[in-house]
Amino acid sequence: MHEMSIAVAVVEQVEAAAREHGMPGVARVRLHVGELAGVVPQALDFCFELACAGTLVEGAVLEAESVAARARCRACAVEWAVGMPPDLGCPSCGGGSVELLSGRELQILDVEWAGLPDVRAGQEG
Amino acid sequence: MCRTVDLRQAVLARNDGSARELRAALAARGTVAVNLLSSPGSGKTALLEAELGLARRRGVPVAALTADLATENDALRLARSGAPVKQVLTDGLCHLEAVMLAGHLTGWLPDDTRLLFVENVGNLVCPASYDLGESLRVVLASVTEGEDKPLKYPTAFGLANLVLVTKADLAAAAEFDEAAFLANVARVNPGVEVVLTSARTGQGAGVLLERALAVLDGAEPHRPVMAAAQDHGHGHGLHHHEPVVVRDGS
């Protein structure tokens, strides 16, 4: 189950960003997960909670937004939703030169901080 | 007060960065890595035995690294070819990652190695997501596994530069529908070459070696449709990471 490795990678990157910005906690992490990324969102959710334990990201909510896979034929310019399992042959002209426009994303979009420090100098928030 | 930070980072950025470094380091020393993916029992090791034997007889310096959760059985089999072979035990991990591979090659891979075959953990799901720094990714499926395997594991088959059907000598007994298999591969990976092989009869043996040697000579392998969009957020080759930008919240 490679979702654990992926969850650990997400937590490491988010924790590094939190430290960089001096943030004490993370409320929410948004991901883009493409239909063809090879990741099961439920498994990722489960692993994320485990991977967060004992880090600055502990307690954060993971929001994985699915991105539909779409392709375009270079020959006849038709665009289509490739579906799952994907059909990457052009449905219009059958041409072999096809471009995948979306669906392989596995990306951290943004992070919402939690427990922002008190801005008054020297005090813990 | 700013409450969010726009990261726009590929989740596998670290692996993909390591893979790019490894690919460049291997290229600089004249080595091409071949990543072999398949389900357990599909015949990766048997085919690899044949390829290593052929390579040795042709005087091509080859090496093989094989990954399993347990046992050194595959390394013992492959070592009979006389090629340098290393067994990696993943301690339960279902796939190899680029950093792991780079670590295992350090101090082991002989300088004159031209082709490095990497036998990934037998699994069609997880290994598909990890670029290992290979220049040729090969997916194998045996005739006994069913013609719909490419549809069930579209990421693995969709990202392959070459597809090998193994155990072709059993095709009739398994009632393997070759036309259906080819159509299913074409659906997820239009244009990819599919070769029928049998390690037992020798059918198609050597095709993998030929294709790997061609890449070593500078041939561009087939570029899968699915690989193109990896540049957007998945970071294989062309992806550039946007800087971390803190939004001015209100």
Side-chain angles (χ1 to χ4, degrees), chain B residues 112-125:
Chain B
D112 68 342
T113 306
R114 297 284 80 90
L115 297 179
L116 167 68
F117 289 100
V118 179
E119 186 180 349
N120 218 313
V121 180
N123 168 0
L124 280 173
V125 184

Side-chain angles (χ1 to χ4, degrees), chain A residues 2-49:
Chain A
H2 67 310
E3 277 80 3
M4 194 65 207
S5 303
I6 288 169
V8 168
V10 171
V11 169
E12 280 176 359
Q13 288 177 61
V14 171
E15 193 174 37
R19 288 191 198 286
E20 190 183 328
H21 294 282
M23 296 296 168
V26 177
R28 194 176 61 116
V29 178
R30 276 204 309 151
L31 293 186
H32 261 175
V33 179
E35 216 176 344
L36 304 177
V39 170
V40 181
Q42 292 89 334
L44 188 59
D45 221 36
F46 173 75
C47 294
F48 181 76
E49 210 177 311

